[in-house]
Amino acid sequence: MDKSHANKPFLRTLDGEVTSKPPLWMMRQAGRYLPEYRAIRATAPSFLDFCYTPRLATEATLQPIRRFGFDAAIMFSDILVIPDALGQAVSFEQGEGPRLEPISDAAGLAALRDTLSLDRLSSVFETIDRVKTALPKETALIGFCGAPWTVASYMIAGRGTPDQGPARLFSYLHPELFQKLIDLLVTASVDYLTRQFSAGVEAVQIFDSWAGVLPAGEFERWSLAPIKAIVEGVRASVPDARIIAFPRGAGSRLALFAKLPGVTAIGLDTSIDPAWAAREIQPHKPVQGNLDPLALVAGGPALDRAIDLIHGAFAGKPYIFNLGHGIVPETPLEHVEHLVQRVRGA
Ligand code: CP3
C-alpha cells in the first residue's frame, strides 16, 4: 500500500498525528437520509443489484462527499456481499431488511463455497477504482467488511434479530461447526480486504455490529480472536494496512481491542462514555466516534451538547469524529450541515 497520505487529515490521524480539527465522516453516510440517494436507489431492481453496479455504487459513495465534504468516503456496498459471494442466497426485502437462506446444520455449511466468488465481487473492486479517480485529493477512501461473528449471525438466523439468538444458540449446540463457519469467514475476509487494498482503499473498517450480545465466556472466541486473525492475515500481505475495529456493544471489553497489535484505531459506539475511552483507549490508539445518531435527528441544544462532550474528551490526542452507529433515514440534512460546521469550528 502507498503509505503516503499527502494531505489527508483522516489518514494522518490514523497514523497518530493530531490535526487542528478532527477529521469527520459518518457511518452509513451514503443512504436514505439523502434525497439524491433515494433517487438513484429507485433505479435499481434490488439493493444487491445496486451494490453490484459500479456506476451506481460509485455515485452513492460520492454523494455525501459532494454535499458535506467529509474527510473520508466509504465504498458503497454491504457486509452481506460475503455470504452472497460464498453462495448463500441473499436478498433485501423493502422495509424489512436482509433475508438469507438460514444455515441450520452441517449440510447447510457444506453447501457454501470454500472461497469467495470473485466474479460476484469484481464490481466492488471496479467501484473502488472509479471512486479513487473522482475523489477530491484530500479525501480518503475506506473499505470494509463485517466481522465473522456479525456476518455469521445473519447467515445462521437468515435475517436480523433483536439479539442474534439463533447464532448464539447454534454456537453453544454446535461449537465445532460454528468454528468452521467462523474460520471460513476469516479466510474470506482476509482475501476480500486484501483485494480492497490492492484496488485502492487506504484504510478498512471491520464492523462487529453484534459483538455486544456475546457473553463474557464467548466474546474472546467469537469476536476478538477472528478479528485478530483477520488483522494478521491482511497485514501478512499489506504490512502497513490501516485497520479500524468497531466492536459495537463491547463496553469495557474494548480495552482488549485497544491492546491488539495491528489494529490501528478503535470505533466507539454510542454507549461508550468519551471520558472513559479517553482514559482507557485513546492512550493506546486513535479513537473514532461516537455521537448518538438520534442526537443528530434531534438537533438543537441536545446535538451541540453531545458534540461538545465528545470533542472535550478527545481533543488533543488523535481522534476521528463519527457517529456511534449508522445515520438514520429520518436525519434532517440541516442537522448534518450544522454538525460539520461545529466540528470544524466554523
Ligand atoms: O455509507 C456507508 O456506510 C456504506 C455502505 C454500508 C451499507 N451497509 C449500506 C446499506 C455499510 C458500511 C453497511 C454495513 C452494514 N450492513 C452493517 C454493519 C453496520 C451496522 O449498521 O451495524 C450491517 C449489520 C449491515 C446489514 C444490513 N444492510 C442491514 C441489517 C440492512 C437493513 C437495515 C436498513 O437500514 O435498511 C442493510 C441494508 C443497507 N445497507 C442499506 C444501506 C444504505 C439500506 C437499504 C436501501 O437503501 O435500500
Side-chain angles (χ1 to χ4, degrees):
M1 185 180 59
D2 177 9
K3 190 75 186 178
S4 73
H5 42 57
N7 198 24
K8 301 191 181 191
F10 174 79
L11 300 182
R12 285 166 51 200
T13 301
L14 285 181
D15 293 349
E17 268 183 59
V18 181
T19 52
S20 57
K21 303 289 168 208
L24 160 77
W25 70 283
M26 294 197 308
M27 289 190 276
R28 289 277 186 100
Q29 64 191 21
R32 288 165 296 188
Y33 75 109
L34 291 176
E36 60 270 35
Y37 172 84
R38 296 194 297 270
I40 57 166
R41 173 69 185 81
T43 66
S46 77
F47 180 65
L48 272 191
D49 286 314
F50 185 79
C51 290
Y52 287 138
T53 306
R55 178 178 53 82
L56 294 172
T58 300
E59 178 57 21
T61 306
L62 296 171
Q63 284 175 342
I65 306 304
R66 281 197 206 108
R67 196 185 262 273
F68 302 114
F70 293 130
D71 295 282
I74 180 162
M75 68 174 201
F76 192 85
S77 183
D78 196 82
I79 65 166
L80 298 180
V81 300
I82 291 294
D84 182 62
L86 287 171
Q88 185 180 18
V90 178
S91 64
F92 286 81
E93 303 301 329
Q94 201 63 44
E96 286 184 42
R99 291 287 181 278
L100 301 82
E101 188 58 47
I103 293 176
S104 52
D105 54 18
L109 194 57
L112 296 175
R113 299 167 49 98
D114 299 331
T115 55
L116 291 172
S117 160
L118 292 174
D119 268 2
R120 205 68 177 129
L121 295 175
S122 61
S123 67
V124 176
F125 309 122
E126 190 186 330
T127 297
I128 293 170
D129 191 52
R130 289 186 183 214
V131 170
K132 284 286 281 192
T133 61
L135 274 183
K137 63 177 184 340
E138 67 278 11
T139 314
L141 179 59
I142 307 172
F144 69 90
C145 71
W149 160 251
T150 288
V151 175
S153 72
Y154 286 98
M155 295 175 80
I156 301 280
R159 57 196 299 153
T161 63
D163 58 1
Q164 304 307 66
R168 277 156 57 212
L169 189 57
F170 189 96
S171 73
Y172 291 124
L173 294 174
H174 312 288
E176 290 84 13
L177 269 185
F178 195 66
Q179 185 72 58
K180 271 196 188 160
L181 176 57
I182 294 290
D183 291 346
L184 173 66
L185 289 169
V186 167
T187 310
S189 305
V190 169
D191 188 19
Y192 187 43
L193 293 182
T194 305
R195 287 171 195 275
Q196 290 179 28
F197 276 112
S198 306
V201 305
E202 295 159 302
V204 296
Q205 177 154 323
I206 302 175
F207 286 89
D208 211 350
S209 303
W210 290 99
V213 302
L214 287 166
E218 308 294 309
F219 185 85
E220 294 210 28
R221 183 172 185 189
W222 303 129
S223 176
L224 189 70
I227 291 176
K228 179 169 182 279
I230 292 175
V231 169
E232 286 167 359
V234 170
R235 281 179 174 266
S237 43
V238 188
D240 51 5
R242 300 178 183 96
I243 304 173
I244 304 168
F246 177 54
R248 185 167 74 93
S252 60
R253 299 173 292 187
L254 279 175
L256 300 170
F257 284 90
K259 294 188 183 114
L260 215 55
V263 169
T264 312
I266 306 291
L268 308 174
D269 66 70
T270 304
S271 73
I272 299 297
D273 176 358
W276 177 85
R279 275 197 319 272
E280 302 295 330
I281 310 296
Q282 218 183 5
H284 302 281
K285 315 215 158 173
V287 295
Q288 173 179 281
N290 67 342
L291 184 79
D292 184 355
L294 294 187
L296 190 56
V297 174
L303 175 59
D304 288 351
R305 241 186 0 254
I307 294 171
D308 295 351
L309 187 78
I310 292 168
H311 189 67
F314 295 139
K317 290 210 191 80
Y319 93 97
I320 295 159
F321 199 99
N322 204 315
L323 302 177
H325 198 196
I327 188 168
V328 298
E330 303 74 35
T331 308
L333 297 172
E334 316 81 75
H335 294 181
V336 182
E337 277 155 23
H338 177 80
L339 164 77
V340 172
Q341 277 175 15
R342 194 167 181 97
V343 170
R344 298 213 167 125

